[in-house]
Amino acid sequence: QLQASGGGLVQAGGSLRLSCATSGRTNYVMGWFRQAPGKQREFVAGITWNWGTTVYADSVKGRFIVSRDKASRMVYLQMNSLKPEDTADYYCTTRSGDITSNASDYPWWGQGTQVTVSS
């Protein structure tokens, strides 16, 4: 099961940290995606559970940090310098294999958490 949490309302320039509880299987990749109203779901960041290798979308690179805690089986998305265009529902997801940016490659999804950034 996957459950994202930590969303909320924040002013532009602010920060939020999203959390996702996972099963912690070591051969898995964890991904964060987001979906704004009327838009397709888009890749935000991914991390390999075993090695901690990370990949970011260009739109969040330098502002967002994805991390995992093996002991607690949690994955986090630290979001800094938030912009109004970051407003979306954020989802955590998982797959076996490599990190990809294609939502259809991820078979398991949790419920999203809403992030709203006001200008």
Side-chain angles (χ1 to χ4, degrees):
Q1 289 185 342
L2 301 171
Q3 181 62 55
S5 61
L9 173 64
V10 64
Q11 288 188 332
S15 298
L16 281 174
R17 188 177 80 155
L18 305 184
S19 302
C20 179
T22 79
S23 66
R25 286 172 284 190
T26 58
N27 63 333
Y28 272 59
V29 159
M30 300 302 302
W32 286 98
F33 283 73
R34 66 187 181 187
Q35 188 167 19
K39 294 188 177 181
Q40 289 188 332
R41 193 167 293 190
E42 65 172 355
F43 175 77
V44 175
I47 186 167
T48 60
W49 188 260
N50 198 24
W51 298 107
T53 303
T54 58
V55 176
Y56 296 93
D58 287 343
S59 59
V60 306
K61 201 172 293 183
R63 300 189 297 123
F64 290 11
I65 301 171
V66 60
S67 62
R68 89 273 189 249
D69 185 318
K70 289 185 174 181
S72 62
R73 297 182 176 180
M74 296 291 292
V75 176
Y76 301 100
L77 185 68
Q78 178 66 42
M79 305 186 296
N80 302 317
S81 302
L82 283 162
K83 305 175 181 180
E85 50 263 44
D86 295 319
T87 295
D89 290 328
Y90 283 71
Y91 299 86
C92 62
T93 180
T94 186
R95 69 184 299 269
S96 58
D98 298 330
I99 298 171
T100 75
S101 61
N102 190 345
S104 64
D105 290 337
Y106 293 80
W108 298 288
W109 293 84
Q111 290 186 329
T113 185
Q114 189 174 49
V115 172
T116 304
V117 184
S118 63
S119 57

